[in-house]
């Protein structure tokens, strides 16, 4: 029984305290021996970054040999603002694009294929951060208006700025090696 203080007077007894709750003691965690612990979960595998040769190969096959299928603004995106183009130094990319589109118009039917084992690359001595890339390819060109065709083997020589995404062409040269 609890006695409470009367209003305006001293209490007749001490006020009752709330009951104290006693908690059960949790046993301590025993020392874990690292030898008996399961191995930590492995980090999720990171996608492998292809080496430079693989990246250049993908660029040549998937982009360069298919530039004729792209819109002009997409072609332009793969060139630096000024390009050494078939022996002519530092041509503006707009002039390079004009020359390429004229050639594409002359031969609207085109098929190119990289010749296996012909891709070579080396650091460029002229452009820091770029690589000189040389490769051979087979080609078939056609003109539907006059029923003309040309086929053979050619070689392309590029200098690629591999620091940019997408790779940017700094220099382009090459030509036909043989006809059939």
């Amino acid at each position: 029984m609890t006695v409470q203080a009367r209003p305006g007077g001293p209490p007749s007894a001490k006020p009752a305290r709330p009951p104290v709750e006693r908690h059960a003691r949790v046993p301590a965690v025993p020392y874990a021996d690292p030898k008996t612990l399961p191995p930590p979960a492995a980090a999720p595998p990171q996608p492998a970054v292809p080496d430079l040769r693989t990246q250049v190969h993908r660029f040549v096959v998937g982009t360069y040999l298919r530039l004729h299928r792209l819109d002009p603004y997409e072609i332009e995106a793969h060139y630096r603002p000024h390009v050494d183009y078939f022996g002519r130094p530092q041509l503006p990319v707009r002039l390079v694009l004009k020359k390429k589109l004229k050639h594409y118009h002359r031969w609207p039917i085109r098929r190119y294929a990289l010749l296996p084992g012909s891709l070579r690359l080396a650091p460029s001595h002229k452009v820091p951060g770029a690589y000189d890339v040389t490769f051979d390819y087979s080609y078939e060109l056609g003109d539907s208006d006059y029923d003309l065709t040309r086929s053979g083997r050619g070689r392309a020589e590029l200098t690629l700025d591999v620091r940019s995404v997408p790779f940017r062409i700094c220099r382009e040269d090459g030509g036909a090696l043989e006809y059939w």
Side-chain angles (χ1 to χ4, degrees), residues 32-38:
D33 185 4
K35 295 176 190 170
T36 61
L37 290 175

Side-chain angles (χ1 to χ4, degrees), residues 82-125:
H82 290 85
V83 181
D84 291 346
Y85 190 72
F86 289 89
R88 296 186 60 193
Q90 296 300 296
L91 287 181
V93 70
R94 292 289 184 176
L95 187 56
V96 170
L97 187 58
K98 183 177 177 181
K99 290 178 174 289
K100 290 188 96 49
L101 294 176
K102 183 178 178 184
H103 184 68
Y104 295 161
H105 182 71
R106 169 70 181 99
W107 299 101
I109 301 168
R110 324 175 143 264
R111 280 189 286 281
Y112 296 101
L114 176 67
L115 294 177
S118 68
L119 181 66
R120 294 176 296 283
L121 64 135
S124 174
H125 297 292

